[in-house]
Every structure is written in structure tokens, then in C-alpha cells.
């Protein structure tokens, strides 16, 4: 499925199907299994002469994708920003999310993407805490730290501590049991993927935050963006997919161009037929 989807994408980018819009059309490719898709910008060493002949019959020149950006999650337990790809060292950028953006853009709900119907009490807590974060957390400062009640918050673990300490205010009126269930899940997220949400200076955010349609902020404008999620826990995979697609949808509202193709295997995990995600 993925190989054929990529063949279709390659065909669109290397033919006249898109006409004048081809140069500005973009694609987001999530690397879900293994690391094969981290090499889309390199020639296929296994390509045989007869394969090239088949491409020629279709009016296509066999080759790698051009103008590709490769992103891999920042490695856990390492200072700074080191990507976690096991097979490719060069040409890969480490990605994470700034603490301030996490609070301001209401990203908390994507840590609970496997949950509970939109009308559940847990969902209500999530929405309340998102609003509390948006209005109670200030910053960032020059170091990327955010602040609550005069105290600097430098890591996601510190942010979760602040939420836990103030959960009665953050989720006012919700039952204690529901608040506790929320905090259990949030602490689990902090331990499994908290390294992907961190204090970042403006320069670090420009280099290590995934941008698609506003990539000029990072000094780039790639036609194909490959986002590696294969080695992340399921909770982190859903967070990455959810936040990237949310931002894309917001950017696409009210604008027909550029076209953006999204390649995502195991779609049922991220957009199930039933329930809320």
C-alpha cells in the first residue's frame, strides 16, 4: 500500500497532471514502520534496467524524490536536539514542540487521543485544562521557559507538576475521581513522551519545529516532508499525527492552494470509524 501510494505521489510530482500547480504542491509522508521512507531522496540501489524501461513507458524518469525534508523525533535522555534515526545520520532534523506553543495552541487533548467519547467527563477535564493552560501560563522568555505564578517552567515534567498541583482550579467542578484519572494519564504521557515537549529558544523552535505551509519560518520550503514516528510509543505517534494535521487543517482553511497530499499508513489508528480521536 505504501509503495503504491508513493508511486502515485512520484507520478504526480514528475508529470504534467498538476499543471502549473505542480511546483507548489506539497506532500506530508508519515514514516510508520521501519525507516525505509527516510531515504526517499536517495536513488534505489535495487532498481533494475527493466524497471527503468517500465517507467519510461509511462513517460516517467525513474529516480528519487527531490526537495525532501526528513524529520525524526528528538532523542530521549540527550541534551540538546539529536534525532533518533538508527539508519541515517546526515540530512535528518530532530523535531519537538515548544512548551509555550503546546499551551497556547491547546495541544493537550492529543495526549488523550485514544480516549473516551467527546461527551465524557474526562473529555470535559481535558478541555478545561487546555483553557487553563492557555490563559494561566505566560511566556516564553528568551530561553523558551514559560511561567506560572512567578515560577519558571523548563520541562514538560514541570508543567505537569503545575497542572497536578492546581488541578482543582484547572478543572473546576469536576469530580475528584475524574481529575485523578486525568492526571494518571497525563503523568504517563510525561514519562513516555515528555521529551518531545520542551523549552526552546526562538532559534531552536525555528530549527526543530515541523513546519509545512509556513516553512519559511524555518528557512525551508520542501515539497516532500517525511516525518518519522516508527519508534515512538502509540501515545506519542497519535500526538505527532494529531498536532501536525491540526496545524495543516488550520492553515488550509479558506485557501485552495497549495495542494497538500497526506500519506499515512494505519489510518484506522488515527481516524477510527467510531469514537472520538
Amino acid at each position: 500500500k505504501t509503495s503504491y501510494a508513493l508511486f502515485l505521489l512520484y507520478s504526480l510530482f514528475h508529470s504534467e497532471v498538476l499543471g502549473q500547480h505542480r511546483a507548489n504542491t506539497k506532500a506530508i509522508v508519515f514514516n510508520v514502520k521501519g525507516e525505509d521512507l527516510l531515504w526517499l531522496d536517495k536513488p534505489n540501489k535495487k532498481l533494475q534496467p527493466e524497471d527503468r524501461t517500465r517507467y519510461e513507458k509511462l513517460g516517467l524518469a525513474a529516480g528519487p524524490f527531490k526537495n525532501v525534508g526528513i524529520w525524526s523525533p528528538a532523542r530521549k535522555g540527550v541534551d540538546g536536539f539529536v534525532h533518533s534515526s538508527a539508519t541515517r545520520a546526515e540530512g535528518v532534523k530532530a523535531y519537538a514542540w515548544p512548551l509555550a506553543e503546546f499551551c497556547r495552541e491547546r495541544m493537550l487533548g492529543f495526549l488523550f487521543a485514544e480516549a473516551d467519547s467527546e461527551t465524557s467527563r474526562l473529555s470535559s477535564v481535558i478541555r478545561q485544562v487546555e483553557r487553563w493552560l492557555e490563559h494561566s501560563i505566560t511566556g516564553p522568555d528568551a530561553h523558551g521557559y514559560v511561567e506560572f505564578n512567578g515560577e519558571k517552567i523548563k520541562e514538560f515534567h514541570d508543567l505537569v507538576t503545575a497542572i497536578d498541583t492546581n488541578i482543582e482550579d484547572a478543572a473546576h467542578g469536576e469530580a475528584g475521581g475524574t481529575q485523578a484519572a486525568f492526571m494518571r494519564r497525563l503523568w504517563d504521557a510525561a514519562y513516555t513522551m515528555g521529551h518531545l515537549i520542551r523549552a526552546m529558544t526562538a532559534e531552536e523552535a525555528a530549527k526543530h519545529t515541523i513546519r509545512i505551509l509556513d516553512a519559511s519560518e524555518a528557512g525551508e520550503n520542501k515539497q516532500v516532508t517525511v516525518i518519522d514516528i516508527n519508534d515512538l510509543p502509540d501515545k506519542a505517534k497519535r500526538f505527532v499525527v494529531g498536532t501536525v494535521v491540526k496545524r495543516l487543517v488550520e492553515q488550509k482553511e479558506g485557501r485552495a492552494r497549495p495542494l497538500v497530499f497526506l500519506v499515512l499508513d494505519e489510518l484506522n489508528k488515527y481516524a477510527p470509524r467510531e469514537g472520538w480521536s
Side-chain angles (χ1 to χ4, degrees), residues 93-244:
K93 282 193 170 185
Y95 67 78
W97 278 262
L99 272 171
E101 187 172 314
F102 176 85
C103 298
R104 186 174 59 248
E105 300 296 329
R106 298 192 179 191
M107 296 181 180
L108 177 73
F110 291 107
L111 297 175
F112 297 80
E114 79 282 8
D116 306 64
S117 74
E118 198 168 10
T119 58
S120 73
R121 298 318 306 169
L122 184 60
S123 176
S124 175
V125 173
I126 292 168
R127 301 298 165 241
Q128 286 194 58
V129 175
E130 283 183 332
R131 288 193 295 271
W132 183 83
L133 287 172
E134 182 182 9
H135 297 296
S136 301
I137 302 297
T138 59
D141 64 11
H143 300 286
Y145 302 156
V146 295
E147 187 173 304
F148 175 70
N149 278 352
E151 293 193 14
K152 299 287 186 181
I153 297 175
K154 304 177 181 180
E155 300 177 355
F156 187 64
H157 185 279
D158 300 329
L159 184 65
V160 175
T161 299
I163 296 170
D164 200 355
T165 304
N166 296 276
I167 188 61
E168 291 189 7
D169 291 331
H172 179 70
E174 296 295 339
T178 308
Q179 293 174 353
F182 166 84
M183 287 310 311
R184 284 195 300 271
R185 295 185 184 216
L186 186 56
W187 276 115
D188 177 67
Y191 289 120
T192 57
M193 57 160 293
H195 62 292
L196 295 179
I197 305 165
R198 56 174 74 181
M200 298 165 69
T201 65
E203 182 180 1
E204 289 170 338
K207 289 182 179 179
H208 299 288
T209 304
I210 298 171
R211 306 293 185 191
I212 306 298
L213 300 187
D214 56 355
S216 59
E217 295 180 19
E220 295 186 358
N221 189 16
K222 301 297 186 182
Q223 185 171 51
V224 179
T225 300
V226 180
I227 303 174
D228 181 28
I229 60 173
N230 91 94
D231 206 30
L232 291 174
D234 281 349
K235 189 185 294 291
K237 288 180 179 179
R238 286 188 287 265
F239 177 83
V240 175
V241 172
T243 51
V244 169

Side-chain angles (χ1 to χ4, degrees), residues 38 70-75 80-95 208:
L38 303 190
I70 310 290
W71 295 85
S72 181
R75 188 172 298 178
F81 293 87
V82 179
H83 70 75
S84 56
S85 171
T87 62
R88 181 167 179 172
E90 301 296 327
V92 182
K93 282 193 170 185
Y95 67 78
H208 299 288

Side-chain angles (χ1 to χ4, degrees), residues 10 14 43-44 47-48 51-56 59-65:
Y10 182 87
H14 294 83
N44 186 348
L47 203 67
Q48 300 299 313
D51 298 319
R52 295 187 182 276
T53 301
R54 289 172 181 154
Y55 270 82
E56 289 170 2
L60 296 169
F65 282 87

Side-chain angles (χ1 to χ4, degrees), residues 11-82:
S11 303
L12 289 168
F13 285 156
H14 294 83
S15 69
E16 298 303 318
V17 173
L18 296 171
Q20 62 180 341
H21 301 293
R22 180 176 64 174
N24 292 323
T25 298
K26 300 182 183 298
I28 304 171
V29 180
F30 286 98
N31 182 67
V32 176
K33 299 174 184 175
E35 294 195 355
D36 290 353
L37 303 187
L38 303 190
W39 300 88
L40 289 187
D41 59 333
K42 303 296 182 182
N44 186 348
K45 296 179 180 178
K46 297 181 180 179
L47 203 67
Q48 300 299 313
E50 55 267 30
D51 298 319
R52 295 187 182 276
T53 301
R54 289 172 181 154
Y55 270 82
E56 289 170 2
K57 288 181 178 179
L58 295 172
L60 296 169
F65 282 87
K66 300 174 183 178
N67 197 16
V68 179
I70 310 290
W71 295 85
S72 181
R75 188 172 298 178
K76 189 175 184 178
V78 177
D79 291 335
F81 293 87
V82 179

